[in-house]
Amino acid sequence: IVSDYEAGSGNSLSGLAPNASEYTGFRTLTDEQIEDLAEKIVEQVRLRGPFLSLSEFVNRQLSSNTDLSLAGAIQTAINNLEEDPMEELRNPANKLSDTTMFETDSDDPKLDGVSYEYPKAAEGSSAHGVPGWIRQADVLRPIAPVLSARDDTFTIRTYGDARDNDGNILARAWCEATVQRSRDFVDSADQAGSVEPPTSAVNQTFGRKYVIKSFRWLNTDEV
């Protein structure tokens, strides 16, 4: 249950726990933190993209790269904020009990007998999930109704003319092409489904291949 108090506001329903709003209040970000979050998301998109689906954007990557396989792009961006909005929640000095603020690690004896295919999944704070803790779900939930995969189909129009030595126009032409970006790289040396950066210099420059879906010449009354 989230209270009417902002997390970290100092308000409390109990004098015995003056920092209780960190655990029951809603969290807000400053303008600077929002700007930083946007920049961190861009960094993650450049590092992980292009995404072949919304699932790849939201979820962590199933790869041997621990920087990409621990969390998705948005959650990693939140974790990398310069000014951590959950700093007080992580601070053992502000704990409400001996275990609330316990930062686990994969070698902790409390995890004896617990088997993880990916041991780093055991790391983190037990305060994760309280109302004052920001998760990627808090970012995705408001935009979920309008979030969709980007349409990589474009309509391009172009113009050309022929001129004489004096610069007079002798002929004009307009055309329209509909092109669609495919998942294949321009150079087939790199596999389309690879999650690693392309190795080919051509692919590093031009990326994925565009396919012409339609082409037509235009009349003057169409431009």
Side-chain angles (χ1 to χ4, degrees):
I1 299 176
V2 182
S3 72
D4 294 333
Y5 295 122
E6 179 181 349
S9 64
N11 293 311
S12 174
L13 300 178
S14 171
L16 298 177
N19 60 335
S21 65
E22 285 286 349
Y23 298 83
T24 60
F26 61 90
R27 179 73 63 189
T28 61
L29 298 180
T30 64
D31 290 344
E32 291 75 16
Q33 288 173 321
I34 293 175
E35 182 75 18
D36 187 28
L37 177 59
E39 293 177 358
K40 292 296 191 297
I41 291 176
V42 170
E43 291 175 4
Q44 290 300 313
V45 169
R46 289 176 174 173
L47 181 64
R48 300 162 184 260
F51 302 102
L52 303 182
S53 66
L54 278 178
S55 176
E56 285 195 3
F57 172 65
V58 173
N59 298 317
R60 62 189 180 91
Q61 288 189 4
L62 300 179
S63 70
S64 58
N65 187 331
T66 55
D67 292 332
L68 305 180
S69 58
L70 187 60
I74 297 178
Q75 186 60 56
T76 301
I78 294 172
N79 296 342
N80 292 343
L81 286 176
E82 298 293 338
E83 183 183 348
D84 185 6
M86 282 84 73
E87 181 179 5
E88 290 301 309
L89 282 174
R90 301 181 196 274
N91 186 356
N94 294 329
K95 60 188 177 183
L96 296 184
S97 70
D98 291 338
T99 57
T100 301
M101 287 311 307
F102 180 69
E103 289 280 353
T104 61
D105 65 74
S106 55
D107 296 323
D108 191 274
K110 291 184 179 180
L111 298 175
D112 288 347
V114 178
S115 177
Y116 285 95
E117 291 293 332
Y118 186 45
K120 287 187 70 66
E123 298 182 10
S125 171
S126 60
H128 181 92
V130 301
W133 192 283
I134 298 177
R135 298 173 293 169
Q136 69 173 16
D138 299 313
V139 177
L140 290 170
R141 188 179 299 111
I143 62 176
V146 295
L147 190 63
S148 65
R150 185 182 67 185
D151 187 355
D152 279 352
T153 302
F154 308 93
T155 299
I156 302 172
R157 287 186 172 186
T158 187
Y159 162 83
D161 58 43
R163 303 178 182 234
D164 61 20
N165 293 334
D166 296 324
N168 298 312
I169 297 176
L170 303 177
R172 291 176 173 175
W174 295 265
C175 66
E176 177 186 276
T178 299
V179 299
Q180 187 175 71
R181 180 162 53 186
S182 69
R183 67 192 299 266
D184 298 319
F185 283 102
V186 173
D187 183 353
S188 59
D190 292 298
Q191 296 298 314
S194 173
V195 297
E196 303 298 332
T199 57
S200 166
V202 172
N203 294 335
Q204 291 173 4
T205 302
F206 298 105
R208 308 282 171 164
K209 184 185 299 183
Y210 282 86
V211 178
I212 299 177
K213 308 299 289 186
S214 66
F215 177 89
R216 69 188 183 102
W217 296 103
L218 300 175
N219 299 318
T220 55
D221 59 354
E222 294 182 277
V223 295

